[in-house]
Amino acid sequence: MVGTTLEWYDFFLYGTAAAVVFPKVFFVKADPLTGTLLSFLTYALGFAARPLGGIFFGNLGDRIGRKRALFMTLVVMGAATTLIAAVPSYAAIGVAAPILLTTLRMVQGFALGGEWGGAVLIVAEQDRGRRGFWASWPQAGAPLGNVLGTGVILLLSQNLSESAFLSWGWRIGFALSALLMIVGLWVRASLHETEAFRQSLARREATRATAKPPVVEVLQSSWKQLLTAFGARMAENISYYVITAFILVYVVDFLKLPKSFGLDAVLIGSAVEFALIPLFGSLSDRVGRRPVYLAGAIGIGVWTPFFFGMLNSRSYPQAVAAVTIALAFHGLMYAPQAAFFAELFATNVRYSGASIGYQVASIAAGAPAPLIAVAVLQHNGGKTPTLLAIYLGAAALLTLIAVLAARETRATDLVAEVGPEQAAEALAGSRAVPTSSGASMLQSPASVSSAGSNSAPRPEPTA
């Protein structure tokens, strides 16, 4: 969770700065909303690089281990974010400034593309029972990273003059990434490789198999699971960036309120979501991944009109409540997502499959969401809430279809390679479930409900 928090801090810090800083520092030749649109375009390009990172680091993680890949992602992300602090303004070097900024943003996206899969798998593959609960802790790193990123910008903007903040103050948050990277590396040095990966590696070496590259294998054998992950991400990813990034533009440029109005709401809402995510993850161990995920998708689709209505009241308590409730619905989807996606794929392609499914969806969901929202605001003004409610409603519908079409996965054994199909049958009653090695495990509904998983007791992993 600590490492994931630091990487999301870097990523979200850019998103906050894209809304309140970069239009005035790197896109000064455009009118305010166009400058914001260009700023969010560089933000979106970071998403475009994420699938490439997912493929690259997924291949490494499936071949040489989750831990090594995680170390690499943290170093790359920390270096890129620290360098953003040193990018000269448009006034200093002209068009080269936004080019440098965009390049470093894409490096950020590349690193984050490999981070998520490794972080959740290093937990999910070692869990002995409450996988939904434990795997949700790396997920909690996202709202916590947003709290830190938003908090740093809020603190600096309120304690510096406008000119000082735009000149050098905002750079402090990015420079801090160097220190945070060292902390993250120190924490991750204590990790052990997962038992599931070690067993997968041993099987591969024992058979001396010349396996296909993981990305090829996952595209050939697990494309249905990739589509499930893609669809499940639509409502979750689109809603998050509308709630946390676009709101900063909406508050300042449409409602004509101070930027602290939106920053405060995002800060408080993210802190509440951080606390809720482990609870929702635990709930998915009891009732299943699908019911929790579906509740979040339905909730975000229904809540969006109320969300904008409460913002339009210009009431601070209503704005905080609107964002907090919206992020709670997001948390219902995000909390079980780590375990759900990990359980969709076999061990030898799990890093690649989970990363590609997660990151490719970002291009269609999170990347264009702020761009679409700002464009709607620029051209439709007062109709923005209605149009964005339709947009999020359509995203929620896609997620509902994807999750309803998938099987429940909470009983999947990630080491014995018992997949969702066999696990679903096991949930119906006691029966022997064949594993990938030809052995079998005796399952019962009681054992499933008490453990939250069909995994049999196994020795603790060694270093």
Side-chain angles (χ1 to χ4, degrees):
M1 188 195 73
V2 172
T4 305
T5 297
L6 300 182
E7 295 224 32
W8 280 114
Y9 163 81
D10 291 346
F11 202 76
F12 288 141
L13 181 67
Y14 189 104
T16 305
V20 301
V21 176
F22 294 162
K24 301 175 182 178
V25 176
F26 297 106
F27 303 99
V28 295
K29 295 295 185 181
D31 65 81
L33 271 180
T34 301
T36 301
L37 200 60
L38 292 172
S39 181
F40 274 131
L41 181 59
T42 69
Y43 183 62
L45 288 173
F47 287 83
R50 283 167 64 171
L52 298 177
I55 293 171
F56 179 80
F57 290 108
N59 179 70
L60 290 179
D62 283 329
R63 289 189 174 276
I64 67 174
R66 287 48 166 139
K67 178 178 177 177
R68 294 180 185 179
L70 275 178
F71 258 77
M72 295 179 194
T73 64
L74 191 56
V75 171
V76 174
M77 175 67 89
T81 307
T82 304
L83 288 173
I84 288 176
V87 175
S89 66
Y90 185 92
I93 60 173
V95 72
I99 291 175
L100 284 173
L101 182 71
T102 302
T103 301
L104 290 171
R105 175 59 177 176
M106 294 188 73
V107 175
Q108 274 191 323
F110 181 77
L112 193 65
E115 159 68 20
W116 181 85
V120 299
L121 294 186
I122 206 90
V123 178
E125 289 184 339
Q126 303 224 39
D127 173 52
R128 293 297 179 271
R130 299 169 61 199
R131 185 184 300 130
F133 171 74
W134 292 114
S136 71
W137 282 97
Q139 298 292 83
L144 186 56
N146 204 3
V147 167
L148 295 178
T150 303
V152 165
I153 293 293
L154 183 63
L155 182 66
L156 293 170
S157 65
Q158 289 186 337
N159 289 276
L160 295 172
S161 66
E162 183 76 5
S163 60
F165 174 68
L166 293 176
S167 175
W168 56 269
W170 66 270
R171 299 178 186 273
I172 295 174
F174 288 88
L176 284 174
S177 184
L179 177 61
L180 297 177
M181 178 178 65
I182 295 172
V183 174
L185 291 174
W186 175 72
V187 170
R188 287 187 171 177
S190 65
L191 294 175
H192 300 304
E193 191 52 79
T194 70
E195 181 181 350
F197 173 77
R198 290 199 304 271
Q199 292 194 15
S200 176
L201 183 63
R203 286 194 295 268
R204 188 166 70 235
E205 292 177 347
T207 59
R208 300 186 182 278
T210 55
K212 301 174 185 176
V215 63
V216 175
E217 189 168 346
V218 79
L219 289 174
Q220 288 181 344
S221 63
S222 303
W223 59 270
K224 290 182 180 179
Q225 290 90 329
L226 288 174
L227 288 177
T228 296
F230 183 90
R233 287 273 283 158
M234 289 297 105
E236 176 268 309
N237 207 220
I238 290 172
S239 66
Y240 192 76
Y241 290 103
V242 170
I243 296 164
T244 61
F246 171 69
I247 183 181
L248 304 178
V249 180
Y250 188 77
V251 162
V252 173
D253 292 319
F254 184 74
L255 299 181
K256 306 302 180 183
L257 295 169
K259 58 179 173 286
S260 59
F261 188 91
L263 288 170
D264 283 351
V266 172
L267 189 67
I268 294 169
S270 296
V272 172
E273 185 184 19
F274 167 72
L276 289 176
I277 279 180
L279 299 179
F280 293 152
S282 181
L283 181 63
S284 77
D285 287 326
R286 294 177 177 274
V287 303
R289 317 298 183 217
R290 292 167 75 243
V292 177
Y293 213 113
L294 290 169
I298 294 170
I300 205 68
V302 171
W303 182 249
T304 303
F306 299 97
F307 171 76
F308 282 104
M310 294 170 76
L311 287 181
N312 289 344
S313 72
R314 292 177 169 81
S315 163
Y316 182 83
Q318 286 196 43
V320 170
V323 173
T324 301
I325 294 171
L327 287 178
F329 285 127
H330 173 267
L332 281 167
M333 294 180 281
Y334 202 59
Q337 191 178 86
F340 183 35
F341 286 11
E343 291 158 355
L344 289 173
F345 300 95
T347 302
N348 63 319
V349 296
R350 186 170 293 132
Y351 201 141
S352 297
S355 295
I356 294 170
Y358 184 93
Q359 304 300 353
V360 169
S362 298
I363 296 179
L371 288 170
I372 291 171
V374 171
V376 168
L377 178 63
Q378 188 176 32
H379 297 291
N380 295 277
K383 295 181 180 179
T384 298
T386 301
L387 294 174
L388 291 184
I390 295 172
Y391 176 40
L392 266 69
L397 181 60
L398 288 174
T399 293
L400 286 173
I401 293 171
V403 176
L404 285 171
R407 290 182 180 272
E408 178 55 58
T409 63
R410 71 184 171 102
T412 303
D413 189 306
L414 298 188
V415 175
E417 302 284 17
V418 176
E421 293 82 2
Q422 295 161 314
E425 295 174 358
L427 283 170
S430 297
R431 60 180 298 160
V433 180
T435 68
S436 60
S437 59
S440 65
M441 296 190 303
L442 190 62
Q443 308 284 346
S444 71
S447 65
V448 171
S449 62
S450 63
S453 165
N454 277 356
S455 55
R458 298 186 293 274
E460 289 296 320
T462 56

